[in-house]
Amino acid sequence: MFSPAPHKGNLVARLHGSGARKPILLLAHLDVVPALREDWSVDPFKLTEKDGYFYARGSSDDKYMASAFVTNLIRYKQEGYKPDRDIIVALETDEEILDANALGIQWLIKNHRDLIDAEFALNEGGGVGLENGKATRVSVQTTEKVSVSFALEVRDRGGHSSVPRKDNAIYRLAEGLVRLSNFSFPLHLNDTTRAYFDHVAQLEGGQTATDIRAMVADKPDTDAVARLSQSAGYNAQLRTTCVATMLSGGHAVNALPQTAGAKVNCRIMPGEPVEEVKATLERVLADDKIAVTQIDKGVISQPSALNEEILGSIEKLSAEFWPGAVVVPIMSAGATDGSYLRNAGIPTYGHSGMANDVSDLRAHGRDERVPVNSFYRGEEYLYRLVKMLSGGTS
Ligand SMILES: [Zn+2]
């Protein structure tokens, strides 16, 4: 089974099936975002079990899926399970840098398509939401926002700080950023987010449900949209967002700054042209001394359609694992390598089976953790789900 092919830090393993159908690809990434040791209450680079959680950088994003897929593949092999299609596990690198150097998923697609070619893929991007300990939603990610970053820069001739001028690179940049912080992109819904909010309205009840209905109406109610936008999670589903993430400027404490720069990361609704977002940024910054340069390329992809076999299996199994929870199609506000696979013609679903409190999502943040029981339950769920989708015999 394991012909683990190490390729530029990517690993691929395959359990051979009868070949009656095209394979399933199980994709997880091994790389993580950096963590500042001094910010954490435990060592981020050592797996620590504490208070019912596994703490570690990457514990939720995305080592859980990598370990679950590998464990399950070994378990199928030990059982002598014969699926009706090959089951491929691909562990890839560089997801967290959006595969900027094309050594991760893009490298696999380009050089070893044969190793990972599949009818569809399961990937990160959709988990199980717990509220007060009870599972309320089981997410299936079918599309994602497009991440594009911009550099903002103000240049000035500088001078001695003992003779300051009103015109100052740092102040100009700061004022532009304040204008950006007060700006919201217009409301933009798509089929996935409409379906998502339909489900949310059923779950939430009360003012939120009323607001959602007023928001999805033909003429969206602006007060309702404003109230919903106060939730960062909902806001990210409602529109394109652009936020300042890095700042630099000046070269000496006693010199007027010759440069001031910021990085702004935008998460663009699928279908919105990047040039339009850039033009909006320039309009909102409202200062032609603030130069705006796009510094990376967004990966734009079409949503993956949910077919009956996949959705039906997820609904059936979810009802058993998390009774009462609703299966909801979602758009990720974050980006994953699902976009590259979708563009390569492999429909991709972000679906992890990992249950976590909706207010305790720490991926990329400090003290990243996953509940220990969710970890093992999710692994069991994926074991069953992949078995259902590969209808073989033991
Ligand atoms: Zn990830």
Side-chain angles (χ1 to χ4, degrees):
M1 144 183 81
F2 281 110
S3 43
H7 299 295
K8 306 262 187 206
N10 303 293
L11 289 157
V12 183
R14 176 183 295 251
L15 176 70
H16 292 283
S18 71
R21 295 192 288 168
K22 262 186 102 171
I24 298 180
L25 172 63
L26 308 176
L27 181 74
H29 65 88
L30 292 175
D31 61 317
V32 297
V33 291
L36 288 178
R37 261 200 180 87
E38 56 271 29
D39 284 354
W40 281 52
S41 64
V42 295
D43 182 347
F45 298 107
K46 197 172 138 263
L47 182 68
T48 305
E49 184 174 348
K50 200 179 81 169
D51 311 327
Y53 291 89
F54 287 130
Y55 286 80
R57 168 56 85 226
S59 52
S60 68
D61 182 13
D62 184 32
K63 307 280 190 196
Y64 152 72
M65 286 197 93
S67 69
F69 285 151
V70 170
T71 304
N72 292 342
L73 201 68
I74 293 169
R75 200 170 149 196
Y76 299 138
K77 176 70 179 168
Q78 285 172 343
E79 286 171 355
Y81 175 57
K82 260 283 173 209
D84 67 357
R85 59 197 337 169
D86 289 5
I87 299 171
I88 303 167
V89 173
L91 306 178
E92 40 128 19
T93 186
D94 284 1
E95 191 276 340
E96 295 293 3
I97 54 168
L98 306 171
D99 203 17
N101 306 313
L103 294 174
I105 193 69
Q106 295 178 86
W107 193 88
L108 284 171
I109 291 168
K110 185 158 176 265
N111 298 287
H112 285 285
R113 175 77 190 231
D114 55 317
L115 287 179
I116 60 160
D117 201 28
E119 190 177 310
F120 65 90
L122 295 182
N123 183 31
E124 64 178 340
V128 179
L130 300 176
E131 287 171 67
N132 305 316
K134 197 181 170 330
T136 53
R137 35 188 115 150
V138 177
S139 305
V140 187
Q141 184 249 49
T142 60
T143 183
E144 52 195 65
K145 288 175 102 174
V146 182
S147 175
V148 177
S149 298
F150 296 91
L152 275 41
E153 193 181 47
V154 180
R155 288 184 171 274
D156 189 74
R157 64 191 157 92
H160 202 291
S161 61
S162 61
V163 240
R165 298 181 304 274
K166 285 288 170 205
D167 195 13
N168 173 300
I170 289 177
Y171 294 159
R172 288 195 91 124
L173 178 69
E175 284 163 11
L177 290 174
V178 169
R179 288 189 284 273
L180 177 62
S181 78
N182 290 322
F183 172 76
S184 287
F185 279 77
L187 175 69
H188 179 171
L189 295 171
N190 57 36
D191 289 350
T192 300
T193 55
R194 274 182 191 283
Y196 165 77
F197 278 112
D198 273 350
H199 285 293
V200 173
Q202 289 166 38
L203 288 172
E204 289 268 14
Q207 183 66 44
T208 304
T210 312
D211 285 344
I212 288 172
R213 290 189 184 105
M215 184 265 296
V216 298
D218 288 341
K219 276 222 168 74
D221 180 90
T222 46
D223 291 342
V225 174
R227 274 192 297 273
L228 291 169
S229 304
Q230 298 197 348
S231 147
Y234 290 152
N235 184 55
Q237 298 291 318
L238 292 173
R239 53 172 54 90
T240 291
T241 61
C242 291
V243 63
T245 51
M246 295 176 85
L247 199 56
S248 62
H251 60 285
V253 75
N254 53 2
L256 296 175
Q258 290 174 2
T259 61
K263 301 272 164 60
V264 169
N265 181 248
C266 296
R267 300 299 172 125
I268 303 173
M269 291 296 291
E272 271 180 36
V274 177
E275 311 77 66
E276 261 176 39
V277 173
K278 180 168 183 254
T280 303
L281 273 181
E282 288 166 340
R283 179 172 60 77
V284 172
L285 292 166
D287 182 344
D288 24 336
K289 273 197 92 177
I290 305 178
V292 179
T293 315
Q294 186 182 339
I295 50 174
D296 57 16
K297 211 163 108 253
V299 184
I300 295 157
S301 65
Q302 290 300 313
S304 298
L306 272 168
N307 70 29
E308 197 36 54
E309 188 198 6
I310 297 169
L311 189 60
S313 302
I314 288 172
E315 282 176 337
K316 192 164 166 229
L317 204 54
S318 291
E320 199 181 308
F321 275 70
W322 303 284
V326 191
V327 176
V328 190
I330 61 158
M331 172 190 75
S332 277
T336 74
D337 278 346
S339 288
Y340 290 112
L341 286 178
R342 290 183 183 120
N343 286 341
I346 303 175
T348 301
Y349 307 99
H351 188 61
S352 72
M354 164 58 72
N356 218 334
D357 194 283
V358 290
S359 60
D360 190 41
L361 303 177
R362 301 186 182 190
H364 296 206
R366 61 185 290 277
D367 285 350
E368 181 178 354
R369 64 183 189 178
V370 293
V372 173
N373 54 13
S374 295
F375 183 97
Y376 291 113
R377 207 164 156 69
E379 184 179 282
E380 179 69 18
Y381 171 82
L382 288 174
Y383 167 85
R384 297 264 309 274
L385 180 66
V386 171
K387 231 174 177 181
M388 279 172 89
L389 293 169
S390 60
T393 52
S394 290

